C-alpha cells in the first residue's frame, strides 16, 4: 500500500478590497438606494412629472422614489408632520414622518436680489406658504406649507424674475455662496460675481453634473466674509506677487457628524479660470467620490484619503490638462466681517446690514422690506451666510430714516450681540431629521439675554441645531448647541442640547480654525438653556484677560468648572 501523504494546505487567496463605488475605477453598479434612484432616472427629469402629473393628481399620486429622492433636485422636501416629538424621529418610517406639504428652497446664488425678485418671493410666501420664510445660512430663502398643486405657478413666478429652484437640494452643485457686498465695497480688489454667473450658466441643471455622490457646496468671494473652510470648494481673494489679483483654492470642507475643514491646494487661480477649475473639482468628485456608503460620500473623505498633493495632481493632469500656478494664502482682515450696521460703498453711498432673529422672517416682512428699500432709493438687497440681510445704495441722508423703518418691521441694524451672533436651523417645526425645536428656542434665548445681559460688549456666536447634522455649523461657533433628548432633574426625557464651546473659523488675522471643546457630559435642557448661556457669558466677562480676548481664546484656558 502506498504511504499516505498529508494534503497540501491550500494557499489563501488575497481578499479583494471592497470598492467604494468610484466611477473612475469601474465601480458603476449602484450600491445603495439613493444611487439606484439616480441611475433609474436623472432627477432633473422629475420636473416634467410634477408639472404634468402630480400637480394635477395631487400628493397621493406621487411616486415614492420621486417624493423622497428626485424632488430634492428642484428644491422640494416634504416637511415634518406636526405633533411628532423628537423621540420618534429615528424610529418612524419616512411616510409616517412626512406631511403632505413641502419645504421649498429658492436658490439665490451670491445672495443677490433685486426688489422685483424679493417681492415675488414675498408674495409666494403669503399666497402659497402661509406667510412663512426663513433666510438660511446658505444665502437662500426657504418657504414652507407648499402644495404640489401650486408648484407650476410658483416656478412660473420665480422664473419670470430670473430666480430658480434648480438643484437647490440633492446630490448636485448647490447654491454658490458669494460676498453680499461683491462689487460695491472698497475692500474688494476683484469681484467674483462673473465667475458665479458663468458657473450658473454653464453647469447648473446640466445632467453631466447632476449625479454627484452627495451635495456639493461652493463659495466664491474676494473677502473672507463667508464660511469658506466649511465648503467642498471655495475661492478666496488673494494678490499674487507676480500675477496680481486672483483667488486661492480650498477644497474638502464639510461639517455634519464627521467635521473636516477645507484645505488649501496652494494654487492661484485668475478670475476667468475659476469656472474651469470649479468644473475640474466637481468632475473629480463625480468620478472618484465614494458612492458605496452614503455617510462617506462627501468630498472631504476623498481628500482625507488622497491628501492635497494627489488631489492637485489629479486635477491638473486628468481634468485641466495643465499645471496650476503656485500661490500665497489669502490675507485675512483684522476683524471678522459680518456687514451688520452702516458701511460705505465704493461709490460713496452706503449699505445697511440688519438682523432678523435667527433668520426667521415672513412674506409680509419681506414685502415691507422691499417697500422700505424702494422708499429710501434702493433696488438691491443681499442675503448673508449668517441669516442676515443688507440693503444697498443708500444715500447719507436716508441712512437713519431707513434704520428707523427697519426697526419698525422687526429688522435691527444696531442689534445686540445676541441677535447679531445667533443662528438656528429649521428644527423640529418643519424638518423630518430634527429632534428638538430651534427657531423658537433661539428667539427665546435672544430675548432673555437681551434682558439680562443687555450691554454685553463682546462678539459671540451661538449656533443652534436640531440634530447632529450641523446645518447651522454648530462645531465652529463660540457656543454650538446640538439638539438631542436629555434627562431633566426628575429623570424625564426632554428636549435639550449637547454643548460645544470655542469653535471657530479663520475669518480674521490671529484666529485659529477648529472645533473647540466638547466637554464630556456637557448638556443643557431647553428650559435650562438661557440660564446656562447667561452664566457662561458672565464667567467669560469676569475671566477674560482683556476686552480683546475672544470667547474662543478664553474657553481654551478656562477651568472646566466654569464651562459647566
Amino acid at each position: 500500500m502506498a504511504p499516505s501523504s498529508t494534503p497540501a494546505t491550500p494557499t489563501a487567496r488575497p481578499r479583494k478590497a471592497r470598492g467604494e463605488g468610484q466611477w473612475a475605477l469601474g465601480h458603476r453598479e449602484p450600491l445603495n438606494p439613493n444611487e439606484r434612484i439616480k441611475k433609474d432616472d436623472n432627477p432633473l427629469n422629475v420636473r416634467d412629472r410634477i408639472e404634468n402629473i402630480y400637480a394635477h393628481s395631487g400628493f397621493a399620486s406621487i411616486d415614492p422614489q420621486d417624493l423622497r429622492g428626485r424632488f430634492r433636485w428642484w428644491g422640494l422636501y416634504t416637511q415634518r408632520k406636526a405633533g411628532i416629538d423628537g423621540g420618534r424621529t429615528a424610529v418612524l418610517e419616512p411616510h409616517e414622518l412626512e406631511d403632505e406639504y413641502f419645504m421649498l428652497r429658492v436658490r439665490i446664488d451670491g445672495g443677490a436680489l433685486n426688489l422685483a425678485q424679493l417681492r415675488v418671493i414675498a408674495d409666494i410666501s403669503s399666497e402659497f406658504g402661509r406667510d412663512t420664510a426663513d433666510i438660511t445660512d446658505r444665502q437662500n430663502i426657504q418657504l414652507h406649507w407648499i402644495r404640489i398643486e401650486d408648484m407650476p405657478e410658483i416656478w412660473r413666478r420665480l422664473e419670470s424674475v430670473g430666480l430658480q429652484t434648480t438643484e437647490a437640494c440633492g446630490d448636485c452643485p448647490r447654491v454658490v455662496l458669494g460676498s453680499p457686498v461683491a462689487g460695491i465695497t472698497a475692500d474688494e480688489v476683484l469681484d467674483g460675481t462673473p465667475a458665479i454667473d458663468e458657473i450658473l450658466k454653464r453647469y447648473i441643471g446640466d445632467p453631466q453634473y447632476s449625479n454627484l455622490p452627495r451635495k456639493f457646496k461652493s463659495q466664491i468671494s474676494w473677502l473672507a466674509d463667508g464660511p469658506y473652510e466649511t465648503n467642498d470648494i471655495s475661492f478666496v481673494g488673494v494678490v499674487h506677487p507676480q500675477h496680481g489679483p486672483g483667488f486661492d483654492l480650498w477644497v474638502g470642507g464639510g461639517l455634519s457628524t464627521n467635521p473636516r475643514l477645507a484645505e488649501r491646494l496652494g494654487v492661484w487661480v485668475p478670475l476667468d479660470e475659476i469656472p474651469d477649475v470649479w468644473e475640474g473639482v466637481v468632475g473629480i468628485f463625480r468620478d472618484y467620490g465614494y458612492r458605496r456608503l452614503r455617510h462617506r460620500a462627501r468630498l472631504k473623505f476623498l481628500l482625507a484619503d488622497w491628501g492635497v498633493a494627489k488631489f492637485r495632481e489629479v486635477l491638473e493632469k486628468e481634468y485641466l490638462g495643465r499645471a496650476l500656478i503656485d500661490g500665497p494664502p489669502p490675507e485675512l482682515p483684522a476683524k471678522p466681517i459680518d456687514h451688520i450696521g452702516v458701511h460705505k460703498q465704493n461709490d460713496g453711498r452706503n449699505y445697511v446690514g440688519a438682523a432678523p432673529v435667527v433668520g426667521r422672517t415672513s412674506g409680509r416682512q419681506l414685502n415691507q422690506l422691499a417697500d422700505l428699500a424702494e422708499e429710501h432709493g434702493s433696488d438691491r438687497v443681499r442675503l448673508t451666510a449668517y441669516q442676515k440681510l443688507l440693503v444697498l445704495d443708500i444715500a447719507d441722508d436716508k441712512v437713519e430714516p431707513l434704520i428707523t423703518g427697519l426697526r419698525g418691521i422687526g429688522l435691527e441694524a444696531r442689534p445686540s450681540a445676541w441677535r447679531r451672533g445667533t443662528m438656528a436651523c429649521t428644527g423640529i417645526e418643519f424638518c423630518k431629521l430634527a429632534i428638538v425645536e430651534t427657531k423658537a428656542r433661539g428667539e427665546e434665548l435672544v430675548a432673555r439675554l437681551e434682558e439680562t445681559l443687555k450691554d454685553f460688549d463682546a462678539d459671540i456666536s451661538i449656533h443652534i441645531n436640531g440634530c447632529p447634522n450641523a446645518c447651522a455649523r454648530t462645531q465652529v461657533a463660540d457656543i454650538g448647541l446640538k439638539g438631542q433628548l436629555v434627562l431633566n432633574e426628575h429623570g424625564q426625557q426632554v428636549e435639550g442640547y449637547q454643548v460645544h464651546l470655542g469653535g471657530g473659523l479663520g475669518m480674521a488675522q490671529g484666529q485659529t480654525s477648529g472645533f473647540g471643546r466638547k466637554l464630556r457630559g456637557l448638556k443643557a435642557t431647553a428650559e435650562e438653556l438661557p440660564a446656562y448661556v447667561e452664566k457662561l457669558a458672565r464667567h467669560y466677562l469676569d475671566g477674560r484677560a482683556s476686552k480683546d480676548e475672544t470667547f474662543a481664546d478664553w474657553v481654551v484656558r478656562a477651568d472646566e468648572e466654569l464651562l459647566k
Side-chain angles (χ1 to χ4, degrees):
M1 177 179 288
S4 62
S5 59
T6 303
T9 302
T11 303
R13 293 184 180 179
R15 188 172 181 178
K16 187 177 180 181
R18 177 182 286 183
E20 292 287 352
Q22 296 165 283
W23 284 3
L25 302 185
H27 301 151
R28 286 265 179 177
E29 187 61 30
L31 297 162
N32 62 55
N34 287 280
E35 290 298 312
R36 285 196 294 272
I37 285 173
K38 292 184 288 184
K39 182 179 181 182
D40 289 346
D41 184 37
N42 189 300
L44 292 173
N45 295 335
V46 80
R47 176 160 172 175
D48 286 341
R49 292 193 288 279
I50 293 172
E51 292 183 313
N52 298 315
I53 300 173
Y54 304 145
H56 302 281
S57 301
F59 187 90
S61 69
I62 303 172
D63 181 282
Q65 289 194 344
D66 285 345
L67 181 67
R68 302 182 190 106
R70 302 182 188 100
F71 270 32
R72 292 176 292 157
W73 273 251
W74 289 97
L76 288 162
Y77 287 92
T78 48
Q79 69 186 38
R80 188 187 190 96
K81 190 179 294 182
I84 299 177
D85 66 70
R88 302 172 70 195
T89 295
V91 298
L92 294 181
E93 295 296 323
H95 71 274
E96 296 175 298
L97 278 169
E98 65 196 7
D99 208 339
E100 295 188 1
Y101 297 93
F102 293 89
M103 179 209 80
L104 177 65
R105 184 175 296 159
V106 181
R107 182 179 184 127
I108 305 171
D109 294 86
L113 289 167
N114 59 43
L115 296 192
Q117 293 171 327
L118 182 62
R119 285 194 168 102
V120 163
I121 294 172
D123 289 345
I124 290 171
S125 166
S126 297
E127 293 180 44
F128 303 109
R130 302 189 188 181
D131 208 37
T132 59
D134 289 325
I135 301 171
T136 78
D137 61 7
R138 301 296 300 175
Q139 293 181 298
N140 297 307
I141 290 182
Q142 289 183 178
L143 309 175
H144 302 282
W145 298 107
I146 299 298
R147 302 186 318 142
I148 197 64
E149 292 87 346
D150 296 323
M151 280 311 303
E153 175 62 13
I154 289 172
W155 277 323
R156 185 194 68 77
R157 295 191 192 187
L158 290 172
E159 290 165 4
S160 73
V161 292
L163 293 172
Q164 61 179 332
T165 69
T166 312
E167 296 184 332
C169 315
D171 300 345
C172 51
R174 308 246 185 127
V175 65
V176 183
L177 298 187
S179 172
V181 296
I184 67 162
T185 176
D187 296 325
E188 179 185 70
V189 178
L190 203 56
D191 181 359
T193 304
I196 295 176
D197 293 342
E198 190 64 22
I199 286 169
L200 293 180
K201 184 173 77 173
R202 288 193 205 175
Y203 307 120
I204 302 309
D206 182 351
Q208 187 175 197
Y209 299 108
S210 66
N211 182 357
L212 304 179
R214 282 292 300 273
K215 68 183 77 170
F216 188 82
K217 296 183 175 183
S218 309
Q219 178 178 327
I220 302 169
S221 173
W222 180 268
L223 298 178
D225 57 356
Y228 64 93
E229 293 171 288
T230 66
N231 298 306
D232 295 282
I233 185 170
S234 292
F235 296 86
V236 184
V238 66
V239 177
H240 193 284
Q242 283 81 46
H243 301 284
F247 290 82
D248 188 41
L249 175 59
W250 298 64
V251 297
L255 298 178
S256 192
T257 53
N258 290 283
R260 194 176 196 279
L261 296 176
E263 296 186 61
R264 298 183 59 240
L265 282 199
V267 301
W268 174 87
V269 182
L271 177 64
D272 60 357
E273 293 182 13
I274 285 179
D276 291 337
V277 174
W278 182 92
E279 182 187 20
V281 174
V282 176
I284 289 176
F285 184 39
R286 177 195 61 197
D287 301 338
Y288 286 100
Y290 302 149
R291 295 174 183 262
R292 183 173 68 87
L293 298 174
R294 188 90 176 144
H295 69 271
R296 272 182 49 83
R298 290 291 298 275
L299 182 64
K300 62 186 176 183
F301 293 101
L302 179 66
L303 183 71
D305 290 345
W306 276 11
V308 165
K310 180 176 179 179
F311 194 99
R312 177 175 174 176
E313 180 183 9
V314 172
L315 175 63
E316 292 175 332
K317 292 182 176 179
E318 296 187 27
Y319 290 84
L320 297 177
R322 59 182 173 81
L324 293 166
I325 297 171
D326 291 342
E331 184 175 330
L332 297 176
K335 293 183 178 181
I337 306 168
D338 70 359
H339 302 299
I340 297 299
V342 181
H343 304 268
K344 277 294 178 185
Q345 297 180 182
N346 53 17
D347 62 1
R349 292 181 292 179
N350 306 275
Y351 69 86
V352 178
V357 182
V358 295
R360 177 55 52 90
T361 181
S362 66
R364 180 172 182 269
Q365 187 183 63
L366 293 177
N367 258 323
Q368 291 173 322
L369 172 63
D371 291 343
L372 273 174
E374 183 175 33
E375 179 185 336
H376 292 83
S378 173
D379 186 49
R380 297 193 291 173
V381 169
R382 300 275 176 89
L383 308 180
T384 83
Y386 299 91
Q387 299 181 341
K388 310 299 188 290
L389 58 88
L390 280 55
V391 181
L392 310 188
D393 306 328
I394 303 300
D396 289 346
D397 62 343
K398 299 285 188 179
V399 167
E400 289 304 322
L402 175 62
I403 289 173
T404 300
L406 291 171
R407 184 174 296 126
I409 65 169
L411 299 171
E412 183 55 68
R414 296 187 176 111
S416 67
W418 308 112
R419 180 189 280 226
R420 187 171 188 160
T422 303
M423 299 198 311
C425 74
T426 300
I428 202 170
E429 181 181 10
F430 296 116
C431 180
K432 300 190 300 293
L433 300 178
I435 302 168
V436 303
E437 172 59 52
T438 55
K439 292 290 189 185
R441 297 292 184 212
E443 291 170 341
E444 293 166 3
L445 179 63
V446 168
R448 164 75 176 271
L449 294 170
E450 285 180 337
E451 288 180 6
T452 59
L453 287 169
K454 180 180 179 180
D455 298 322
F456 188 82
D457 63 353
D459 294 328
I460 192 165
S461 57
I462 303 174
H463 296 184
I464 308 171
N465 220 82
C467 76
N469 289 323
C471 296
R473 303 195 293 269
T474 45
Q475 300 102 324
V476 291
D478 288 316
I479 302 174
L481 301 169
K482 182 178 77 175
Q484 60 181 220
L485 297 179
V486 301
L487 297 179
N488 66 13
E489 59 183 340
H490 305 295
Q492 300 165 322
Q493 199 173 62
V494 296
E495 288 192 359
Y497 302 90
Q498 184 181 46
V499 181
H500 299 249
L501 295 173
L505 299 174
M507 307 299 292
Q509 296 172 22
Q511 285 191 335
T512 302
S513 304
F515 303 127
R517 294 177 69 176
K518 186 168 68 173
L519 276 62
R520 184 178 179 85
L522 182 53
K523 301 173 184 177
T525 68
E527 185 178 351
E528 295 167 340
L529 184 62
Y532 168 73
V533 175
E534 179 187 345
K535 178 180 70 172
L536 187 64
R538 291 188 186 280
H539 285 324
Y540 162 60
L541 292 177
D542 292 341
R544 61 185 176 178
S546 71
K547 285 194 173 185
D548 293 328
E549 184 175 31
T550 66
F551 181 86
D553 288 342
W554 172 76
V555 163
V556 171
R557 65 175 185 80
D559 186 87
E560 190 169 307
E561 288 304 311
L562 295 176
L563 305 179
K564 291 183 178 179

